[in-house]
Amino acid sequence: MMDAYDPDNIFGKILRGEIPCHRVYEDDDVLAFMDVMPQSSGHTLVVPRTGSRNLLDAHPAVLATTIERVQDIAKAVKKAMNADGIRIAQFNEAVAGQTVFHLHFHIIPMYEGVTLKPHSGDMADNDVLADQAKQIAAAL
Ligand code: AMP
């Protein structure tokens, strides 16, 4: 049995405006913002406003809308960051690498010859993240 969704998670707090983020995009369905511990330059997260623990307990309609937004934002990330490719990642439960228990999709730009940094590694510079968020928003 999976644990229930707990709204007191860090992305729940970001969605409610209780803690800040470097916002890339938002609408009635999703919020997209920069990952503070990026695996590559431009690493962006897309989070549905409707809470679920992960993909496994999400409503199919939420998944459908969210993946459409992931596509749009991935294209903008690729363009703004001049990336060579994009990796989409999504983890379900701690054993699979999930650390924040509110459904989210990782948009990770890939660059020729550049190895990804570890998942949940070093914090990025705030000014750099703010600048990247602006550039990606402008490419949407
Ligand atoms: P996951 O392991 O898929 O649950 O990913 C959680 C991601 O959230 C990691 O890549 C973290 O670097 C990122 N993260 C954790 N806290 C924050 C935060 N306050 N703002 C933005 N990203 C965060």
Side-chain angles (χ1 to χ4, degrees):
M1 253 293 278
M2 221 162 93
D3 289 342
Y5 173 70
D6 175 3
D8 205 23
N9 67 79
I10 205 151
F11 294 167
K13 289 179 183 170
I14 288 176
L15 284 164
R16 293 191 296 274
E18 293 166 14
I19 60 168
C21 70
H22 294 288
R23 192 175 60 239
V24 167
Y25 172 82
E26 69 179 320
D27 61 23
D28 289 346
D29 300 308
V30 304
L31 173 67
F33 53 91
M34 304 311 294
D35 194 305
V36 285
M37 290 169 269
Q39 288 193 256
S40 71
S41 190
H43 184 164
T44 302
L45 300 171
V46 182
V47 177
R49 290 193 187 278
T50 302
S52 72
R53 192 171 159 81
N54 53 43
L55 178 138
L56 302 176
D57 59 335
H59 194 287
V62 171
L63 288 180
T65 304
T66 305
I67 204 71
E68 281 190 28
R69 300 296 184 277
V70 169
Q71 184 187 38
D72 294 341
I73 298 161
K75 286 183 194 168
V77 169
K78 185 169 183 292
K79 187 172 165 202
M81 302 308 301
N82 205 17
D84 300 305
I86 294 287
R87 182 172 294 180
I88 304 295
Q90 191 280 316
F91 306 120
N92 301 283
E93 299 303 324
V95 71
Q98 185 175 10
T99 60
V100 178
F101 295 92
H102 180 121
L103 175 62
H104 54 280
F105 288 84
H106 295 258
I107 297 174
I108 307 174
M110 306 295 293
Y111 306 94
E112 282 300 337
V114 179
T115 311
L116 286 187
K117 293 193 201 126
H119 180 218
S120 299
D122 295 335
M123 294 277 285
D125 184 276
N126 263 313
D127 293 342
V128 171
L129 293 179
D131 189 54
Q132 289 171 343
K134 259 190 226 153
Q135 287 179 50
I136 297 165
L140 269 161

